[in-house]
Amino acid sequence: MFCKNCGKELPENTNFCPECGAAQSAGDSVYRKEMAGKISRKSRTVAALLAFFLGYLGVHRFYVGKVGTGILQILATCCFGLGAVWALIDFVIILCGNFKDSEGCYLIDWEARY
């Protein structure tokens, strides 16, 4: 098991992370080992809402720091009208938990971490 806050490995049957002190619940702390330490501080909820409402403009990509592909998404919308399709695909990927920020970290948490 891994901490949902800091990604550190947890001892079995613990309610708090010994590293950061974050409270743990049964379903929250189980992440695949390869994802430990690769959890974004950005909110998955914010990214999903931005992708749903303003995704055709690439706003969700700017939010996670992917400025280059955000600009490409704006151009895809203006020049070819394909930005909405791209946004729909990103929206589904965000909901599934496989979307990454500019640092290669997964957007896992539904609330932002500071």
Side-chain angles (χ1 to χ4, degrees):
M1 291 179 19
F2 297 91
C3 175
K4 70 174 186 166
N5 190 44
C6 68
K8 300 289 182 185
E9 191 166 3
L10 298 173
E12 292 297 319
N13 300 322
T14 185
N15 293 329
F16 293 93
C17 175
E19 186 73 25
C20 68
Q24 305 295 311
S25 61
D28 288 340
S29 59
V30 180
Y31 290 109
R32 295 188 309 245
K33 188 166 184 112
E34 66 268 13
M35 292 178 72
K38 296 181 182 177
I39 300 169
S40 178
R41 293 188 174 275
K42 300 291 184 175
S43 169
R44 191 166 156 194
T45 303
V46 172
L49 289 172
L50 289 173
F52 185 79
F53 290 109
L54 298 171
Y56 64 96
L57 296 174
V59 175
H60 62 289
R61 290 191 166 266
F62 287 105
Y63 170 70
V64 298
K66 294 182 172 184
V67 176
T69 55
I71 292 171
L72 283 176
Q73 196 157 8
I74 291 173
L75 294 175
T77 298
C78 295
C79 300
F80 306 108
L82 299 175
V85 174
W86 189 353
L88 177 64
I89 293 168
D90 279 351
F91 179 69
V92 171
I93 293 171
I94 291 168
L95 291 181
C96 292
N98 291 323
F99 198 77
K100 295 181 182 179
D101 66 10
S102 62
E103 297 173 356
C105 300
Y106 290 94
L107 273 70
I108 298 292
D109 294 328
W110 290 102
E111 65 277 343
R113 295 185 301 140
Y114 299 101

